[in-house]
């Protein structure tokens, strides 16, 4: 399935250019962190001197991931991050394919056009021409699956350890909603290999991710579903909104709304679910769908975003009310596709 020349090229670049800066996307999720940290472990084993930089903080429920403490958070430690970027001999972009997905880091990354770059990603439509090596595959669960294949190519015997495998598994578990979507045969195969080779406790990993919420987080979920969810049966769509005041009421912590958007899809006729969240100065939208309906197309056309067929995101610079109006105004165009 894979072009092994790409694997070889990526590994040769990492071996050649020792100062490696691994970068992932804004609002880093389990796959962003899992793929970045696994590559970090792997690059060290290849004799490289890697660092991981992410644009902003990640959810607390991922802070236990092996070596998560080593991650440089750009908006908390800008001086250090810029210093490391200036020294970089090689960049590796993981889990995104347009530089604008790096938020605040984008302005700085633009200055390093001449530094070689690698892309490893599973989103639709990369521009591979900007990269020395481009491992882009959409028919995989996650970027972590791609990094797992890269390490496997070099040899799990010598290059896999339980910390690396844990990070890879977190990426695959979270990007597939605990293996409920975006899964391919190879996803199960590679996860099986990771587990059997390292003797990891899968249940413990799952519990670390999903059973470490605060009471506030669970109550926020209940509130949003009860008081902030609208079902639009005509469009087989549900949306949930969360204002800044709502979030504050439940002492919002980074990551607390992660996963909320999935719940409305459990209603049998709902084919698309949208979570509209008010953040400081911007509205974030999360889209999920079942079946053939492409939320990537919708997010791309109307919400300055994108992602995958069944999971995408976007942003608007407007009020919460205007964002809801915008969603309602575009739904008629998609009625037929949503009613399939
Ligand atoms: P989430 O809704 O969990 O934030 O994102 C779902 C998927 O869409 C993820 O794969 C994420 O990388 C992608 N995504 C989220 N927001 C954006 C965005 O603003 N632009 C693009 N291109 N992709 C996004
Ligand atoms: Mn991903």
């Amino acid at each position: 399935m894979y072009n092994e020349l790409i694997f070889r090229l990526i590994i040769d670049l990492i071996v050649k250019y020792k100062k490696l800066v691994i970068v992932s996307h804004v609002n880093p999720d389990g796959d962003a962190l899992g793929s970045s940290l696994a590559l970090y472990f792997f690059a060290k084993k290849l004799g490289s001197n890697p660092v991981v930089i992410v644009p902003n903080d990640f959810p607390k429920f991922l802070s236990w991931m092996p070596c998560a403490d080593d991650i440089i958070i750009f908006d908390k430690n800008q001086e250090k991050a810029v210093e490391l970027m200036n020294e970089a001999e090689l960049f590796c972009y993981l889990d995104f394919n347009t530089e604008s997905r790096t938020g605040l880091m984008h302005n700085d990354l633009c200055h390093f056009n001449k530094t070689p770059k690698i892309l490893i990603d599973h989103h639709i439509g990369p521009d591979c021409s900007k990269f020395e090596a481009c491992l882009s595959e959409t028919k995989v669960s996650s970027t972590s699956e791609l990094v797992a294949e890269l390490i496997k190519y070099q040899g799990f015997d010598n290059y896999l350890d339980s910390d690396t495998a844990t990070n890879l598994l977190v990426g695959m578990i979270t990007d597939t909603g605990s293996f409920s979507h975006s899964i391919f045969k190879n996803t199960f195969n590679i996860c099986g290999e990771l587990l059997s080779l390292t003797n990891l406790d899968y249940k413990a990993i799952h519990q670390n991710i999903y059973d470490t919420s605060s009471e506030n987080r669970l109550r926020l979920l209940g509130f949003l579903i009860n008081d902030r969810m609208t079902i639009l049966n005509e469009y087989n769509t549900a949306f949930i909104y969360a204002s800044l005041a709502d979030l504050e009421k439940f002492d919002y912590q980074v990551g607390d709304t992660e996963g909320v958007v999935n719940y409305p899809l459990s209603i049998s006729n709902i084919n698309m679910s949208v979570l509209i969240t008010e953040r400081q100065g911007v509205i974030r939208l999360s889209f999920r769908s079942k079946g053939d309906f492409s939320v990537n197309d919708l997010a791309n056309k109307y919400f300055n975003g994108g992602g995958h067929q069944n999971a995408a995101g976007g942003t608007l610079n407007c009020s919460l009310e205007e964002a809801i109006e915008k969603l309602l105004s575009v739904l008629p165009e998609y009625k037929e596709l949503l009613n399939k």
Side-chain angles (χ1 to χ4, degrees):
M1 169 187 174
Y2 293 101
N3 178 352
E4 295 197 339
L5 290 175
I6 303 279
F7 290 156
R8 189 69 268 145
L9 183 57
I10 291 174
I11 291 165
D12 288 349
L13 285 166
I14 293 174
V15 170
K16 181 175 173 189
Y17 298 106
K18 303 272 183 252
K19 288 196 170 164
L20 168 65
V21 170
I22 298 166
V23 179
S24 199
H25 59 77
V26 71
N27 304 326
D29 56 15
D31 187 30
L33 299 186
S35 57
S36 296
L37 289 168
L39 189 72
Y40 172 76
F41 279 99
F42 180 50
K44 279 189 176 180
K45 289 195 167 73
L46 291 171
S48 161
N49 183 14
V51 289
V52 178
I53 308 179
V54 295
N56 59 346
D57 208 355
F58 47 83
K60 214 171 96 207
F61 65 82
L62 297 173
S63 63
W64 63 274
M65 290 171 71
C67 277
D69 284 347
D70 290 358
I71 296 175
I72 313 266
I73 298 168
F74 183 85
D75 73 2
K76 283 187 174 174
N77 203 349
Q78 200 155 335
E79 213 170 297
K80 177 79 182 160
V82 171
E83 186 189 316
L84 289 165
M85 286 155 77
N86 276 319
E87 288 171 1
E89 295 169 341
L90 178 68
F91 284 93
C92 188
Y93 289 0
L94 286 174
D95 203 35
F96 67 98
N97 62 26
T98 49
E99 244 174 35
S100 59
R101 290 279 292 136
T102 58
L104 275 183
M105 283 177 76
H106 186 201
N107 286 337
D108 290 281
L109 284 170
C110 292
H111 297 143
F112 303 106
N113 286 337
K114 296 214 172 76
T115 312
K117 294 189 178 73
I118 296 168
L119 177 81
I120 306 179
D121 179 55
H122 68 129
H123 293 89
I124 302 161
D127 178 2
C128 282
S129 67
K130 291 184 180 156
F131 298 94
E132 227 69 17
C134 184
L135 176 54
S136 166
E137 179 58 62
T138 55
K139 291 198 163 42
V140 291
S141 63
S142 55
T143 302
S144 297
E145 186 174 330
L146 291 172
V147 174
E149 289 294 339
L150 177 73
I151 301 173
K152 182 176 174 180
Y153 168 81
Q154 190 68 358
F156 275 160
D157 283 353
N158 294 318
Y159 292 90
L160 186 73
D161 55 37
S162 54
D163 285 342
T164 308
T166 301
N167 282 313
L168 292 169
L169 286 162
V170 172
M172 288 188 265
I173 294 168
T174 53
D175 252 27
T176 59
S178 296
F179 303 114
S180 65
H181 58 79
S182 321
I183 14 168
F184 299 83
K185 269 188 202 148
N186 188 58
T187 316
F188 287 119
N189 291 339
I190 198 93
C191 285
E193 269 183 271
L194 293 176
L195 287 166
S196 61
L197 289 171
T198 56
N199 246 333
L200 280 168
D201 181 352
Y202 174 78
K203 237 172 33 191
I205 295 175
H206 199 276
Q207 281 173 1
N208 278 335
I209 303 169
Y210 294 106
D211 301 339
T212 53
S213 288
S214 62
E215 179 182 340
N216 272 326
R217 183 181 176 194
L218 194 64
R219 293 205 183 276
L220 172 65
L221 169 67
F223 168 79
L224 293 177
I225 290 174
N226 216 26
D227 291 24
R228 295 287 184 257
M229 181 172 72
T230 302
I231 303 290
L232 303 163
N233 282 317
E234 189 187 357
Y235 299 111
N236 293 22
T237 290
F239 73 88
I240 296 175
Y241 72 88
S243 69
L244 268 179
D246 292 339
L247 298 176
E248 274 163 20
K249 195 170 141 196
F250 291 90
D251 188 26
Y252 173 82
Q253 304 294 311
V254 177
D256 278 359
T257 54
E258 203 88 359
V260 171
V261 65
N262 297 312
Y263 286 90
L265 288 183
S266 64
I267 303 173
S268 63
N269 71 309
I270 296 301
N271 290 331
M272 174 165 74
S273 168
V274 188
L275 173 69
I276 308 172
T277 318
E278 187 178 16
R279 296 270 165 85
Q280 299 292 351
V282 69
I283 301 293
R284 277 283 314 154
L285 295 104
S286 258
F287 302 90
R288 296 291 184 273
S289 67
K290 286 196 290 226
D292 291 339
F293 187 77
S294 172
V295 284
N296 173 58
D297 292 349
L298 177 80
N300 194 268
K301 190 166 176 189
Y302 291 110
F303 299 97
N304 310 307
H308 311 279
Q309 176 163 309
N310 296 127
T315 47
L316 289 176
N317 286 306
C318 64
S319 68
L320 195 53
E321 292 73 22
E322 286 164 336
I324 294 170
E325 268 170 40
K326 170 107 185 210
L327 174 69
L328 296 176
S329 74
V330 304
L331 284 178
E333 179 184 330
Y334 294 94
K335 186 170 179 185
E336 211 172 305
L337 290 171
L338 284 162
N339 287 341
K340 262 190 188 169

